[in-house]
């Protein structure tokens, strides 16, 4: 894969959790993990949500924390994708407890709330203060955090970011090292209850992280390696994982790929996530579905600006002689992603405002092709019509 960097460039940080435990029933061994991390027993703030509680997915973690001498305080008041207000309430609960440890068991929303709660136990202010809107940085270290994903997509267990909503828009706490988990537990058994639709959406979110990270002008040798491994795993496993009877290996491969996608976030996302936010802000779709709708068109938009990068994506997917844009579109179709914004009920006359929002609210200076209004308008129109991305120019 051709690279946009040299061996002698300005050094860039590559960050991730200090420990990762991967394997079936890894979540049941959390007491051993605490000892390895050097976390002393004390109050533990255990963040979940209603689905995790109903399915009992945090049962082993809670039992392990108790066995390790922790006093477990459960918090599950996280309805869907969290708003700033939802996150602030979790932060207030964590501050009252003053925990020695924060543990998040769930999807990306749960893990983002766990991360921001751990960071704000020792730092003042609201969640909003630390988003890109205000830009405040954390002065004090976070409480140690262990994240346990129950979906295979967001990569929140590996990233130094957190996403929330305010009104109808997304806001981000981005590139804060204090949001990194001390440890991540990847237990594929916790993802076996995922229905096919959620598996598809979260899996394509992970693919977006890997592919957008590779396109980013901030990509490094390390993010490229993580992304390439993740892409190969997803192309090999996602269709099987979305089937009526997914095999355990496909679940394990998707969970690992999602973690690698989270590490790829070190390079920053490009146009696809900006488009996804403009879609979700109007249709209120799951984040992974919005990213899946945008991904093939994101590749098409930067095709001429980064041909070597797209060729590298094809090689990572095992598609040496195939059009990677068409193949990503085919993968999306195979796992049930709708073929147009029109079919989802979006009015065509909203496209101009979405272009404006993409440029003004979610600019991507690290996209290999600069964001240009006329080109974006044409791209949004192709998405609305459902024209295959590989035919767009």
């Amino acid at each position: 894969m051709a690279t946009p960097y040299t061996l002698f460039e300005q050094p860039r940080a590559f960050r991730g959790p200090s420990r990762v435990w991967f394997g079936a029933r890894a979540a049941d061994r959390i007491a051993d993990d605490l000892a390895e991390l050097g976390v002393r027993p004390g109050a533990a703030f255990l963040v979940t949500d209603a689905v995790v509680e109903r399915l009992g997915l945090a049962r082993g973690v809670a039992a392990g924390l108790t066995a390790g001498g922790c006093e477990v305080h459960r918090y599950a008041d996280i309805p869907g994708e969290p708003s700033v207000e939802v996150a602030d309430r979790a932060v207030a609960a964590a501050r009252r407890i003053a925990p020695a440890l924060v543990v998040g068991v769930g999807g990306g929303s749960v893990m983002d709330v766990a991360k921001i709660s751990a960071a704000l136990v020792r730092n003042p202010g609201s969640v909003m203060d630390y988003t890109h809107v205000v830009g405040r940085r954390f002065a004090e270290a976070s409480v140690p955090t262990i994240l346990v994903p129950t979906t295979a997509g967001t990569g929140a267990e590996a990233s130094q970011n957190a996403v929330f909503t305010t009104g109808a828009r997304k806001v981000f706490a981005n590139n804060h090292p204090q949001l990194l988990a001390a440890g991540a537990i990847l237990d594929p058994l916790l993802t076996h209850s995922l229905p096919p639709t959620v598996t598809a959406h979260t899996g394509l979110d992970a693919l977006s992280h890997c592919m957008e990270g590779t396109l980013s002008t901030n990509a490094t040798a390390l993010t490229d390696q993580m992304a390439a491994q993740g892409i190969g795993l997803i192309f090999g496993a996602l269709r099987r994982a979305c089937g009526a009877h997914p095999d355990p290996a496909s679940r394990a491969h998707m969970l690992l790929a999602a973690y690698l996608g989270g590490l790829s976030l070190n390079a920053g996302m490009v146009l696809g996530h900006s488009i996804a936010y403009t879609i979700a802000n109007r249709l209120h779709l799951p984040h992974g579905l919005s990213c899946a709708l945008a991904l093939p068109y994101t590749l098409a938009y930067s095709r001429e600006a980064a041909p070597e990068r797209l060729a590298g994506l094809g090689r990572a997917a095992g598609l040496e002689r195939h059009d990677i844009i068409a193949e990503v579109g085919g993968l999306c179709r195979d796992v049930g992603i709708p073929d147009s914004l029109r079919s989802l009920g979006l009015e065509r006359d909203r496209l101009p405002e979405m272009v404006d929002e993409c440029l003004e609210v979610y600019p991507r200076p690290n996209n290999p092709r600069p964001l240009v209004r006329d080109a974006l308008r044409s791209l949004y129109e192709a998405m609305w019509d459902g024209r295959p991305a590989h035919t767009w120019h």
Side-chain angles (χ1 to χ4, degrees):
M1 182 183 293
T3 62
Y5 41 78
T6 71
L7 293 176
F8 306 103
E9 68 174 357
Q10 186 72 19
R12 297 174 182 170
F14 179 85
R15 301 186 179 100
S18 62
R19 301 286 193 284
V20 181
W21 297 274
F22 175 48
R25 298 182 178 80
D28 296 343
R29 301 176 58 184
I30 192 169
D32 296 335
D33 304 339
L34 296 182
E36 183 175 335
L37 289 170
V39 176
R40 292 188 174 184
F45 189 57
L46 175 58
V47 183
T48 63
D49 63 15
V51 174
V52 170
E53 291 296 306
R54 176 170 56 82
L55 297 176
L57 298 178
R59 189 178 298 120
V61 169
L65 291 171
T66 301
C70 293
E71 180 185 345
V72 178
H73 299 261
R74 301 177 86 112
Y75 187 89
D77 188 14
I78 305 174
E81 295 189 3
S83 65
V84 169
E85 293 75 18
V86 165
D88 274 335
R89 289 197 293 271
V91 168
R95 285 171 172 162
R96 288 193 295 270
I97 295 165
L101 172 73
V102 175
V103 179
V105 182
S109 296
V110 166
M111 290 189 285
D112 282 352
V113 170
K115 289 194 286 187
I116 202 73
S117 298
L120 286 178
V121 166
R122 296 172 178 166
N123 288 280
S126 163
V127 169
M128 193 68 173
D129 296 333
Y130 298 89
T131 67
H132 75 286
V133 176
V134 178
R136 185 173 181 176
R137 307 301 294 180
F138 296 108
E140 301 296 331
S142 170
V143 171
T145 312
I146 295 178
L147 299 177
V148 189
T150 59
T151 64
T154 69
E157 70 277 6
S159 76
Q160 54 189 348
N161 308 318
V163 182
F164 306 100
T165 62
T166 180
R169 291 187 173 179
K170 304 279 189 181
V171 292
F172 323 100
N174 279 352
N175 298 317
H176 291 283
Q178 292 88 343
L179 295 180
L180 282 170
I185 297 175
L186 309 181
D187 187 339
L189 297 182
L190 298 183
T191 70
H192 284 200
S193 60
L194 286 176
T197 298
V198 177
T199 300
H201 295 172
T202 56
L204 289 168
D205 187 20
L207 185 63
S208 296
H209 295 158
C210 293
M211 289 192 160
E212 290 190 49
T214 303
L215 287 177
S216 173
T217 57
N218 293 328
T220 69
L222 291 171
T223 58
D224 273 358
Q225 289 298 315
M226 301 301 107
Q229 291 292 320
I231 291 166
L233 288 168
I234 292 166
F235 265 85
L238 182 57
R239 289 181 176 90
R240 302 196 333 265
C242 292
H245 303 287
D247 58 283
S250 68
R251 291 293 196 190
H253 290 172
M254 288 306 303
L255 186 60
L256 180 56
Y259 174 77
L260 295 171
L263 294 176
S264 303
L265 284 167
N266 272 282
M269 296 295 91
V270 293
L271 173 61
H273 269 59
S274 295
I275 292 174
Y277 295 139
T278 68
I279 295 170
N281 289 345
R282 286 153 183 84
L283 298 179
H284 307 292
L285 303 177
H287 174 67
L289 174 55
S290 300
C291 287
L293 291 163
L295 180 58
Y297 296 91
T298 301
L299 302 180
Y301 186 88
S302 293
R303 170 173 40 204
E304 294 182 3
E308 298 88 355
R309 301 256 100 195
L310 264 71
L313 296 178
R315 289 192 294 273
L319 305 169
E320 190 79 32
R321 295 182 177 83
H322 296 266
D323 182 343
I324 187 60
I325 302 171
E327 293 295 329
V328 169
L331 177 61
C332 290
R333 287 193 305 274
D334 288 350
V335 298
I337 302 303
D339 62 1
S340 70
L341 295 179
R342 174 171 52 184
S343 69
L344 293 167
L346 181 74
E347 302 91 344
R348 195 177 193 280
D349 60 10
R350 303 201 72 177
L351 298 182
E353 72 185 49
M354 294 170 74
V355 172
D356 290 343
E357 184 179 52
C358 187
L359 289 167
E360 296 165 12
V361 182
Y362 307 115
R364 297 290 176 174
N366 61 318
N367 200 79
R369 178 185 177 185
L371 306 193
V372 179
R373 186 176 303 277
D374 288 346
L376 284 177
R377 175 64 182 267
S378 172
L379 193 74
Y380 271 94
E381 289 173 348
M383 293 181 65
W384 190 85
D385 288 333
R387 280 178 276 154
H390 68 279
T391 67
W392 179 84
H393 292 283

